[in-house]
Amino acid sequence: MKRTSSPARPAVGRRTFLQQAGWLAAGAAAARLAAADGRVTLTNPQTPASPFGWHDTNGVAGPEFTTTQGNNVHAYTDTDANDTPDAGSSPDCSAALNCVTPLDLTLAPSSYRPAAVTNLFYFNNVMHDIAYPFGFDEEGGNFQASNYGNPGLGNDSVQAEAQDGEGTNNANFGTPPDGQRPRMQMFVWTGVTPNRDGDFDNGIIAHEYGHGISNRLVGGPSNTSCLANTQRPGEGLSDWWAMYYTQPNDTSSAARLRGIGTYALGQPVTGVGIRQDYYDGDPAVNPEPFENTWTYQSIIGAAVPHGVGSRWAQAYWQVSWALIDEHGYNADIDAFTGTAADAGNIRAMYYIVEGLKNTACGPAFTDVRDGVIQAAAAAQPYNGADVCLIWQAFAEFGLGSNAVSGGANANNPTNGFNIPNACSFLGAATANQKICAGANAVYPVTLGAAFTPPVTLSVSGNPAGTTASFATTPVTSVPAASALTISNTGAVAAGSYNLTVNAAFAPGPAATMPLTLQVNSAVPSVPSLSAPANAAVDVSVTPVLSWTAATQADEYVVEIATDAAFANIVYTRTVSGTSHTVQTSLAGSTQHYWRVRSTNACGPGNNAAAQSFTTQDFYCVSPNLAIPDNNPTGVFSDLSIANLGAVTDLNISLNVTHTYIGVLIFKLKNVTTGTEVSFINRPASCSGNDVNALFDDEAAGPITCVATVPTLSGSMRPASPLTVFDGQARNATWRLTAIDAAGQDLGTVNQWCLSGSVDTTPSPMVFANGFE
C-alpha cells in the first residue's frame, strides 16, 4: 500500500506534496481562475534534449506512439489507484500528433481527463527538456526510456498518473535508482467548487518532478536515498524548481514575491498560496506584510521535511535574485550557453544542478551551500565571478561562512552572517593546480569589496623561467574577477612550488594569498602489487589491496577482473593512497585478477604486473524481495547449498534498500536443523536508509549506524552470534527472514550471501574396520 509521509518519520522513496491533510508543502504560481481556459497551442515544442521528439523511443525518425507516451514520460489516468493506466486513458493525438483536447474548467475534473493527461504529458516533457542542458542529462540520471547511446541507464521514463484515485489534495513522486521507472501521482484538490485538478497546476508538477532531479543528483543516480536526514533541503529544492519553471518574465519587486499552489487552492496568482508566507527574493527591501524574515536558524522547531525544506527554498531564492540583479533575466529559461553572456536566472539553474552533484549524501544546508559554491568556483565560462556574490546572498540568509549546521540529523543550527576573507579581499577558485611540464596553470582570482581600487596584482614564487600574467591588472572596480596564468613551464623540474599573489592598493597594506603548483615532468613509474599474495586462496570477497608507491604518482587506478586478459573487469576505483578496501562484494569461490596503474597530470603510467587471488566460498541469492510494511511475520528467502562440509565460521552479507533501518529485524535459519538467530534486531538510533554490510563474529565492532547512506555498511558483529551454526552441515536450506516492525517505510531485500570457513575433514570412523 502506498502512503504519504508522516511528521515523525517521513518516507523518502516517494516525496509527497502534502505532509498531512490541510498542511501543504509546495505548489505553483502560474494559476488561472476556474472559469478561464488559458491554454495556448504550441507546434513542435520539444528541444534538442528530445532529438527525435516527445513520442519517440527507438531513436529513429518517426513516432512510436500517437498517444501521450514517449521517451521521457507516459501520461495516463489511474482513477482506481492500482498503479496501472486506466484503459484508453492516454489520449490519441492521431498520426498528425495533434494533441488538442476539450476543456471546460467550470465542470468537475472528471469531465476533462484527456486534457489533464495532455497537460501532464506536456509539462513532464518540458521539465525534462529544460533541465537537460544544465546537466540533468543521461549521465546525470535523467528519466528516459532510451538514452540514445549516451552514458547512464535507460528504461526509466516517468509514469505520470493524472487524477490518481489514491487520494486528494496532494501529489507525490517516487524516485528509484537510475534504470528504474519513477512514478508521479497527481490528485484532485477539493478546497473549491468545482474541484481543481493538480494536473493543471504546473508548479505542482514541477515540484514533484523536482524531487526526481534532486534525488538522482545528490549522491549519484544510483543512490536515491540521500535526502532523508533531518536537515534535508528536498522540499525546498522542489519549491525552487516550481518557482523557476513558472517564473513570469518580470523583474519587478512584485515578481520576487511568490505564492505556492495558488491554482490548486483557487487563489489568483498574487495569492500567498500554501506557505506561511510568500517566498521573497529580496527580504531586505520588501515591506511587511510581505517581508519573509526566515533565516537558517528558523529551521529550529520547523516540521520535517516540509517546514525545514521551505527555508532552503527561501535561501536559494535570495541567491537567485542576487544573480538576476547582477546579470539580468532571460525568459528563455533553458538558454544555457556556458558563456559569460548567460543571465542570472540561467546561472542560478546551472549552479544548483551542478551544486547538487557536488553535495554530500545526507546533507545539512551548509553542505548544499558548499556544493553550490564549488560549482560556481569551477564554472570556467564564468571564471568564478559569482562566488562572492553567492556567498553574500547566502550570508544574508544566515548561511554565511561562520554558520554552524549542528549536524545533518540535527535541527539546531546557528546563523552565520560572515563571508570568507577571500571575498573581502583575495580568493582563488582553485588554489592548488597540477600540471604536466609544458602546460599552463590557470588560477581564477577574485577580489572582494574590501579593496579600494585600483588594485595592482603580482605574483612571486613561480618556478624560474616561467611567465606569470594576470588577465586584468590593475583592477579598477570591485568586486571583480581576474585570472593568473603561469606559462612557459616546459623546463620546470618536477616538484611542488609555493606561490604568493600580492594585491597592492592605496591606502594598503597589500593583501596576499598563497597558491600551490604541482609540476610533473613525466608519467609516473610502475607500482608493484603487495597484498594479497599472488595466487592467494580463501581471500575475503571485500579484500584489502595494497601496492608500493610510484614515483610522481598522484593517483592510482585499481582494476579487478575475472580473466587474465582483463576483458571482464568487475571492479574499478581511482584512489590516492597505496591501499584500498574493495567496496562491493566480489563473487565467491572465484579466481580474480588485479592490477594497479599510477596516473598524474602527464597521463597514466603502465599497469603493474597482474596477480591473482581466489575468494572464499560465497553463496548468494538475489531475491529482489519486497518487505511487507508493519508485518510481524515478515517475508523470507531461501538459499540451498549442496556442497558438503561442516560450518566453522559463518558470515552473512546483506544488501537491502529500505528507509529507516531502525524498524527492521533480520533472522537467519538453518531450515534443516531448525537453528535460528536474529543478526539484526531493530538497531537503535538507525534512522537512516539502506544496508550493505557483512556480519561477522570476528569483526572489530558491533552494529553501528552512520550518517551516510547506506546506514549500515562495512563489516560488523551481528546482534546475536552466528557461532550457533558452527559444526552444522553446510549442505542445507538456509532461510533469511526480513521483518518490518513499524509502519510507514518500505524497502526490498536485494541480495544476501553466506560465506566462511568450512571443515571438510572426514568424520573419524567409529569402527576401524567398517560397521559392526
Side-chain angles (χ1 to χ4, degrees):
M1 178 179 178
K2 295 174 292 187
R3 298 152 304 196
T4 59
S5 57
S6 74
R9 206 177 56 203
V12 299
R14 172 171 287 114
R15 295 297 190 185
T16 57
F17 190 67
L18 285 179
Q19 178 154 10
Q20 56 189 14
W23 183 30
L24 301 138
R32 301 282 183 183
L33 296 178
D37 186 322
R39 294 181 295 171
V40 294
T41 301
L42 304 175
T43 302
N44 295 327
Q46 71 274 3
T47 76
S50 298
F52 297 93
W54 287 349
H55 298 264
D56 176 84
T57 55
N58 67 358
V60 178
E64 278 65 74
F65 300 94
T66 60
T67 60
T68 50
Q69 182 173 359
N71 201 49
N72 308 324
V73 59
H74 179 197
Y76 51 86
T77 63
D78 181 25
T79 57
D80 58 2
N82 66 351
D83 288 346
T84 58
D86 297 335
S89 63
S90 294
D92 194 322
C93 304
S94 77
L97 300 182
N98 182 10
C99 299
V100 177
T101 51
L103 175 64
D104 185 346
L105 291 173
T106 65
L107 302 178
S110 58
S111 69
Y112 50 72
R113 286 173 179 156
V117 173
T118 299
N119 191 65
L120 190 59
F121 177 76
Y122 165 75
F123 212 74
N124 269 263
N125 278 296
V126 167
M127 292 292 298
H128 168 277
D129 284 9
I130 289 178
Y132 189 97
F134 293 98
F136 189 57
D137 50 16
E138 296 92 348
E139 189 172 9
N142 73 348
F143 308 118
Q144 295 183 181
S146 170
N147 281 1
Y148 298 138
N150 294 316
L153 301 178
N155 301 313
D156 58 359
S157 59
V158 176
Q159 302 168 95
E161 299 176 345
Q163 296 190 16
D164 196 290
E166 185 178 288
T168 58
N169 303 319
N170 210 331
N172 60 55
F173 194 96
T175 315
D178 196 17
Q180 301 177 43
R181 298 187 71 187
R183 186 183 306 278
M184 175 186 289
Q185 294 181 307
M186 303 296 294
F187 299 151
V188 171
W189 294 68
T190 61
V192 294
T193 303
N195 294 338
R196 294 291 177 94
D197 187 348
D199 299 294
F200 287 109
D201 195 322
N202 289 340
I204 297 180
I205 301 173
H207 174 101
E208 298 307 333
Y209 197 104
H211 280 307
I213 297 175
S214 57
N215 283 330
R216 285 277 174 97
L217 291 179
V218 178
S222 296
N223 185 2
T224 56
S225 301
C226 283
L227 294 176
N229 52 293
T230 300
Q231 204 175 118
R232 71 190 73 168
E235 294 297 334
L237 288 166
S238 282
D239 278 7
W240 186 86
W241 266 299
M243 293 188 288
Y244 181 86
Y245 276 86
T246 60
Q247 172 72 15
N249 186 15
D250 184 3
T251 58
S252 68
S253 295
R256 299 167 195 248
L257 297 169
R258 295 292 298 279
I260 300 295
T262 52
Y263 174 77
L265 294 187
Q267 296 179 0
V269 293
T270 55
V272 78
I274 58 178
R275 285 289 181 221
Q276 294 173 271
D277 200 348
Y278 291 93
Y279 283 124
D280 189 344
D282 193 353
V285 174
N286 292 307
E288 294 285 3
F290 306 116
E291 182 176 348
N292 192 322
T293 56
W294 284 343
T295 63
Y296 185 23
Q297 201 163 296
S298 70
I299 73 169
I300 297 175
V304 179
H306 298 91
V308 168
S310 65
R311 273 62 172 178
W312 172 261
Q314 174 61 30
Y316 201 64
W317 195 231
Q318 291 179 221
V319 171
S320 302
W321 277 97
L323 290 164
I324 293 170
D325 288 341
E326 181 69 19
H327 302 291
Y329 180 82
N330 190 338
D332 186 4
I333 60 174
D334 65 343
F336 172 68
T337 68
T339 71
D342 285 338
N345 59 317
I346 302 300
R347 295 181 185 219
M349 178 69 154
Y350 174 77
Y351 292 146
I352 196 63
V353 171
E354 292 301 312
L356 291 180
K357 294 179 182 179
N358 301 331
T359 298
C361 188
F365 280 20
T366 49
D367 296 311
V368 192
R369 175 206 65 192
D370 292 347
V372 171
I373 295 292
Q374 182 182 343
Q380 294 299 323
Y382 313 135
N383 201 26
D386 293 325
V387 169
C388 292
L389 179 72
I390 294 171
W391 266 120
Q392 185 63 54
F394 274 134
E396 290 171 358
F397 177 78
L399 268 171
S401 57
N402 61 329
V404 179
S405 72
N409 283 303
N411 204 341
N412 58 343
T414 302
N415 281 335
F417 299 102
N418 293 349
I419 61 175
N421 290 336
C423 288
S424 297
F425 283 100
L426 278 174
T430 49
N432 303 301
Q433 296 280 5
K434 297 179 180 180
I435 65 168
C436 186
N440 291 348
V442 180
Y443 300 85
V445 176
T446 58
L447 291 85
F451 283 106
T452 301
V455 183
T456 302
L457 298 172
S458 62
V459 66
S460 60
N462 51 301
T466 62
T467 300
S469 60
F470 287 89
T472 304
T473 186
V475 177
T476 57
S477 65
V478 290
S482 186
L484 167 64
T485 299
I486 307 296
S487 56
N488 296 325
T489 65
V492 175
S496 181
Y497 298 86
N498 295 319
L499 289 63
T500 301
V501 172
N502 301 276
F505 65 106
T512 61
M513 176 177 61
L515 304 174
T516 301
L517 176 62
Q518 176 70 44
V519 179
N520 295 115
S521 59
V523 297
S525 63
V526 180
S528 297
L529 306 186
S530 303
N534 192 26
V537 297
D538 201 26
V539 174
S540 168
V541 293
T542 56
V544 179
L545 309 175
S546 61
W547 54 92
T548 61
T551 305
Q552 292 201 48
D554 286 339
E555 294 180 317
Y556 298 90
V557 179
V558 180
E559 294 178 325
I560 303 176
T562 54
D563 65 304
F566 286 82
N568 183 33
I569 296 175
V570 295
Y571 183 87
T572 183
R573 288 291 190 280
T574 299
V575 300
S576 57
T578 56
S579 68
H580 174 65
T581 301
V582 174
Q583 299 298 305
T584 57
S585 296
L586 303 175
S589 304
T590 302
Q591 186 176 29
H592 291 84
Y593 299 82
W594 70 291
R595 65 189 182 187
V596 175
R597 65 178 176 273
S598 50
T599 66
N600 64 22
C602 295
N606 293 324
N607 285 305
Q611 295 185 359
S612 70
F613 60 83
T614 300
T615 48
Q616 61 189 180
D617 288 340
F618 218 66
Y619 304 89
C620 297
V621 62
S622 300
N624 295 317
L625 189 65
I627 303 172
D629 190 42
N630 197 18
N631 184 323
T633 302
V635 66
F636 66 84
S637 168
D638 284 348
L639 170 62
S640 295
I641 300 176
N643 298 42
L644 299 176
V647 173
T648 59
D649 181 17
L650 187 69
N651 301 325
I652 180 168
S653 71
L654 184 64
N655 184 301
V656 171
T657 302
H658 195 285
T659 55
Y660 206 88
I661 296 305
V663 303
L664 295 180
I665 301 170
F666 285 93
K667 301 178 180 181
L668 179 66
K669 181 178 184 178
N670 184 330
V671 177
T672 305
T673 65
T675 305
E676 186 175 50
V677 64
S678 296
F679 64 96
I680 296 178
N681 193 353
R682 301 187 70 172
S685 303
C686 278
S687 60
N689 306 327
D690 302 351
V691 178
N692 188 2
L694 178 71
F695 298 89
D696 179 358
D697 289 328
E698 287 70 48
I703 291 176
T704 303
C705 303
V706 296
T708 56
V709 176
T711 289
L712 298 184
S713 62
S715 179
M716 58 193 67
R717 295 195 298 269
S720 296
L722 299 174
T723 52
V724 296
F725 298 109
D726 286 357
Q728 297 185 1
R730 179 172 60 173
N731 58 322
T733 296
W734 298 85
R735 175 167 295 172
L736 176 81
T737 300
I739 299 171
D740 182 336
Q744 303 174 356
D745 291 280
L746 300 175
T748 302
V749 178
N750 303 313
Q751 184 186 67
W752 65 281
C753 306
L754 294 179
S755 66
S757 302
V758 177
D759 183 1
T760 58
T761 303
S763 299
M765 297 182 67
V766 176
F767 300 99
N769 295 320
F771 58 88
E772 184 175 30

